[in-house]
Amino acid sequence: MSGFAVICDARAGERLGIGILALVDRAKTKARWWTSDDASIAIRYEKADAAKFAAKRLRFNGARVVDFDSAAKAIREQAAEILYVEALADGEQGWDSHKDLR
């Protein structure tokens, strides 16, 4: 079961490897509108026309309609990159990074 997703270019997060955001299914969560790392909450449109209607209402950051499976794959890959970059950053803090230095 494929479907369609609405994605856009991320304005921030390039340092973490965030390049795109996917529109969130508001029936699944009301906490946020876009996701960079959780494909399970991205909205899956069954019809291209419905996805195009939603994308047309968004003015900024190059909102566009793509195949849902390719959007989900990109979000999953991006999530792995985010975890990798965060792990590297934690490792660079050194031996005493776990200590509370107040």
Side-chain angles (χ1 to χ4, degrees):
M1 180 176 148
S2 186
F4 302 92
V6 176
I7 64 169
C8 74
D9 301 323
R11 293 187 317 176
E14 185 176 334
R15 180 184 63 80
L16 292 174
I18 299 171
I20 65 164
L21 303 172
L23 193 60
V24 166
D25 186 347
R26 300 286 286 170
K28 293 181 181 177
T29 182
K30 301 265 190 221
R32 50 191 170 151
W33 287 91
W34 297 94
T35 182
S36 63
D37 60 349
D38 189 357
S40 70
I41 62 172
I43 190 165
R44 180 190 306 257
Y45 291 97
E46 292 182 21
K47 297 185 179 190
D49 289 339
K52 288 176 186 175
F53 179 78
K56 191 169 82 170
R57 294 177 21 198
L58 303 166
R59 290 199 221 161
F60 304 108
N61 303 329
R64 57 202 177 272
V65 175
V66 297
D67 178 65
F68 184 84
D69 292 336
S70 63
K73 180 181 176 193
I75 292 293
R76 284 191 301 270
E77 290 172 355
Q78 190 167 267
E81 177 69 17
I82 292 167
L83 288 175
Y84 177 73
V85 170
E86 287 179 345
L88 284 179
D90 286 344
E92 289 177 0
Q93 290 180 5
W95 178 258
D96 293 331
S97 65
H98 65 284
K99 294 182 180 177
D100 188 16
L101 301 174
R102 285 187 229 176

